[in-house]
């Protein structure tokens, strides 16, 4: 299988889509990929991604953009766009990505495949190039729910090299698939019907609700009023952590080095030429919100609101077992069409809340829209309840009967 170029692979280039790491060859293997190789998987190659996973369209990579094989004038989503695109094009039977604010689920929705973000801590982050350490989480991108369960089974587990890794037992996700969902409670948050959401996506959500009803699930409208604060919180917390993590790329120890007449000039030249515009933008935002006089006003306040968002999910899961929402407000958009950064950031509006709360989420394709582009629906669950999440997704998948052909053209 091919893997996102954010996972360190021993003896093979790992670039994170950046000029800064253009020639970086790790001498160690990420825990997640090591787990896969131990179970007999073979590395086909590395897959393009937004630079340091910063982007929602896979257009920020130093090595060029990725195209969506479903419709070649559209984006595959980001930042794991290379992973979703390669899978949809039948270049690899399964792959892995990382999800910081939706970077597995959004490209999965755009490319008509299944993308699972596990609970934060379920899969080790060791050996993954860091973006935002309290949000980054590895997960599988597959053709179907059964493959996602099998992949997660192998990827998961405690890792003493990762202090945020959970030591909870790993269920047999694959063997325990297929249980009845009769009697489970499914929440439908009213806040996930934002302005600008396409009618095709709303229709897919209604179809999904009907599938669940037909299989005995109880549908309950719920409210998550803090959802509207998720994007502002995310775009404070994530850049702040990125600013800290990317400080290591200074031209001294590894990666690109652009010489200058002084040490400071060497730092400036290296970071100016080594990073792309989006990465620089987020470093500057992150440095600003962490700076003296602004830390309390921005970063500290954002962390407090993040805790409230987490608490809101905890309370809502006392009323329902799972939540069903759209994955994205629209289907895949045209390459080069989103020049307005705010519009681009808004594409993560439905995926970011789960990332902030650390809960698991899965996106799976339901139908095609009027332009023959895949429409994804997202299911969210309690901490470490990936098994139940996969069971619900399996039922929906069976009802939707979404098919795709080997050349990547969905039908």
């Amino acid at each position: 299988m091919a893997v996102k170029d954010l996972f360190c692979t021993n003896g093979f280039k790992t670039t994170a889509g950046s000029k800064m790491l253009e020639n970086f060859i790790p001498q160690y293997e990420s825990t997640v990929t090591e787990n896969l190789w131990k179970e007999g998987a073979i590395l086909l190659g590395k897959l393009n991604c937004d630079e340091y996973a910063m982007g929602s369209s896979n257009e920020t990579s130093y090595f060029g953009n990725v195209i969506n094989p479903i419709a070649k004038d559209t984006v595959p989503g980001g930042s794991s766009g290379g992973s979703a695109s390669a899978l949809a094009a039948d270049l690899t039977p399964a792959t892995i990505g990382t999800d910081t604010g939706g970077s597995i689920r959004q490209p999965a929705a755009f490319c008509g495949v299944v993308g699972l973000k596990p609970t934060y801590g379920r899969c080790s982050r060791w050996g993954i190039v860091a973006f935002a350490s309290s949000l980054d989480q590895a997960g599988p991108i597959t053709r179907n729910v059964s493959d996602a369960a099998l992949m997660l089974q192998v990827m998961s587990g405690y890792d003493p090299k990762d202090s945020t890794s959970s030591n909870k037992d790993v269920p047999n996700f694959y063997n325990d698939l297929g249980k009845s969902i009769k009697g489970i409670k499914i929440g439908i948050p009213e806040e996930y019907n934002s302005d600008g959401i396409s009618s095709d996506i709303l229709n897919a959500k209604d179809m999904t609700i009907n599938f669940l009803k037909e299989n005995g699930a109880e549908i309950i409208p719920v409210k998550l009023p803090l959802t509207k604060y998720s994007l502002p919180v995310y775009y404070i917390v994530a850049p702040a952590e990125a600013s800290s993590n990317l400080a290591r790329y200074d031209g001294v120890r590894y990666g690109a080095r652009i010489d200058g007449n002084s040490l400071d000039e060497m730092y400036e030249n290296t970071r100016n030429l080594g990073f792309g515009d989006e990465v620089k933008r987020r470093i500057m935002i992150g440095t600003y919100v962490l700076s003296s006089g602004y830390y309390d006003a921005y970063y500290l306040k954002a962390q407090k609101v993040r805790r409230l968002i987490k608490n809101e999910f905890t309370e809502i899961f006392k009323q329902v077992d799972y939540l069903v929402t759209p994955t994205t407000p629209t289907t895949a958009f045209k390459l080069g069409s989103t020049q307005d950064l705010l519009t681009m950031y808004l594409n993560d509006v439905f995926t970011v809340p789960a990332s902030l709360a650390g809960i698991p989420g899965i996106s799976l394709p339901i139908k095609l829209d009027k332009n023959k582009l895949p429409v994804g629906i997202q299911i969210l669950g309690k901490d470490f309840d990936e098994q139940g999440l996969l069971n619900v997704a399996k039922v929906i998948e069976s009802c939707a009967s979404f098919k795709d052909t080997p050349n990547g053209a969905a039908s």
Side-chain angles (χ1 to χ4, degrees):
M1 63 182 65
V3 303
K4 184 177 183 178
D5 202 19
L6 219 61
F7 292 87
C8 287
T9 42
N10 190 355
F12 294 92
K13 278 188 184 180
T14 299
T15 70
S18 179
K19 178 177 175 59
M20 186 68 81
L21 292 176
E22 185 177 10
N23 295 306
F24 174 57
I25 300 176
Q27 301 304 304
Y28 52 91
E29 191 78 30
S30 81
T31 298
V32 165
T33 51
E34 182 68 30
N35 290 346
L36 291 165
W37 313 149
K38 283 179 180 177
E39 291 298 318
I42 298 168
L43 177 64
L44 286 174
K46 306 298 284 292
L47 298 167
N48 201 357
C49 58
D50 280 305
E51 186 178 10
Y52 288 101
M54 298 181 195
S56 302
S57 64
N58 225 138
E59 294 175 291
T60 71
S61 171
Y62 169 70
F63 302 101
N65 65 276
V66 174
I67 61 171
N68 187 337
I70 304 294
K72 295 181 173 59
D73 60 344
T74 65
V75 302
S79 64
S80 306
S83 299
S85 178
L87 188 65
D90 204 32
L91 301 178
T92 179
T95 185
I96 54 176
T98 60
D99 193 307
T100 305
S103 292
I104 286 174
R105 292 161 288 159
Q106 187 243 26
F110 279 8
C111 292
V113 294
V114 175
L116 171 62
K117 182 198 89 72
T119 308
Y120 182 78
R122 174 67 86 183
C123 299
S124 171
R125 292 186 301 108
W126 195 84
I128 300 173
V129 178
F131 165 14
S133 300
S134 73
L135 295 160
D136 298 344
Q137 185 60 199
I141 303 176
T142 58
R143 289 196 174 279
N144 55 58
V145 174
S146 296
D147 285 356
L150 186 62
M151 288 281 288
L152 183 63
Q153 180 75 43
V154 175
M155 294 169 64
S156 301
Y158 173 67
D159 180 9
K161 296 192 291 291
D162 176 8
S163 63
T164 62
S165 172
S166 170
N167 59 8
K168 285 184 177 290
D169 291 339
V170 178
N172 195 321
F173 298 116
Y174 183 74
N175 286 351
D176 291 341
L177 266 183
K179 292 182 179 177
S180 169
I181 63 167
K182 187 175 181 179
I184 69 166
K185 297 177 179 178
I186 303 289
I188 310 296
E190 66 176 38
E191 289 79 10
Y192 285 64
N193 290 330
S194 64
D195 294 339
I197 187 168
S198 80
S199 58
D200 287 301
I201 289 175
L202 291 175
N203 178 255
K205 187 181 79 169
D206 291 340
M207 285 176 60
T208 304
I209 290 171
N210 288 331
F211 294 153
L212 293 165
K213 285 180 179 177
E214 290 166 4
N215 283 274
E218 182 183 352
I219 305 300
I220 301 173
V222 296
K223 293 185 177 182
L224 292 167
L226 295 179
T227 295
K228 64 183 178 183
Y229 299 114
S230 295
L231 274 181
V233 167
Y234 176 82
Y235 280 103
I236 291 173
V237 173
E241 295 185 9
S243 170
S244 176
N245 277 324
L246 271 61
R248 72 191 68 180
Y249 302 105
D250 54 11
V252 175
R253 286 159 288 189
Y254 54 86
R257 178 190 181 105
I258 313 298
D259 286 326
N261 294 322
S262 67
L263 182 63
D264 284 348
E265 190 174 302
M266 186 271 288
Y267 286 157
E268 291 170 4
N269 291 344
T270 298
R271 293 172 70 80
N272 181 43
L273 296 175
F275 291 138
D277 288 345
E278 182 61 25
V279 173
K280 291 177 191 173
R281 186 178 296 113
R282 298 199 193 193
I283 288 173
M284 291 174 70
I285 292 171
T287 303
Y288 177 77
V289 300
L290 291 175
S291 61
S292 177
Y294 297 102
Y295 179 89
D296 289 349
Y298 293 104
Y299 183 72
L300 189 60
K301 187 174 287 186
Q303 290 286 27
K304 289 177 179 178
V305 178
R306 181 183 184 180
R307 169 49 62 181
L308 294 176
I309 291 169
K310 172 65 175 174
N311 292 345
E312 187 172 75
F313 275 110
T314 301
E315 289 303 310
I316 214 70
F317 283 127
K318 293 177 182 177
Q319 304 172 36
V320 299
D321 300 304
Y322 304 97
L323 299 170
V324 169
T325 79
T327 307
T328 56
T330 67
T331 51
F333 46 87
K334 301 289 186 184
L335 283 161
S337 64
T338 309
Q339 303 301 323
D340 175 39
L341 291 171
L342 184 58
T343 302
M344 179 70 80
Y345 293 165
L346 285 170
N347 208 261
D348 299 331
V349 66
F350 298 147
T351 53
V352 158
S355 295
L356 291 172
I359 60 175
I362 187 170
S363 175
L364 65 158
I366 302 298
K367 55 171 282 190
L368 298 179
D369 71 1
K370 58 181 176 291
N371 296 316
K372 304 298 183 184
L373 295 171
V375 177
I377 287 295
Q378 176 180 234
I379 312 163
L380 304 176
K382 304 180 186 75
D383 287 343
F384 297 101
D385 187 19
E386 290 89 356
Q387 183 67 70
L389 206 65
L390 287 161
N391 284 335
V392 174
K394 183 70 174 175
V395 169
I396 296 171
E397 180 182 66
S398 298
C399 294
S401 298
F402 183 92
K403 304 292 182 185
D404 67 330
T405 57
N407 66 3
S411 60

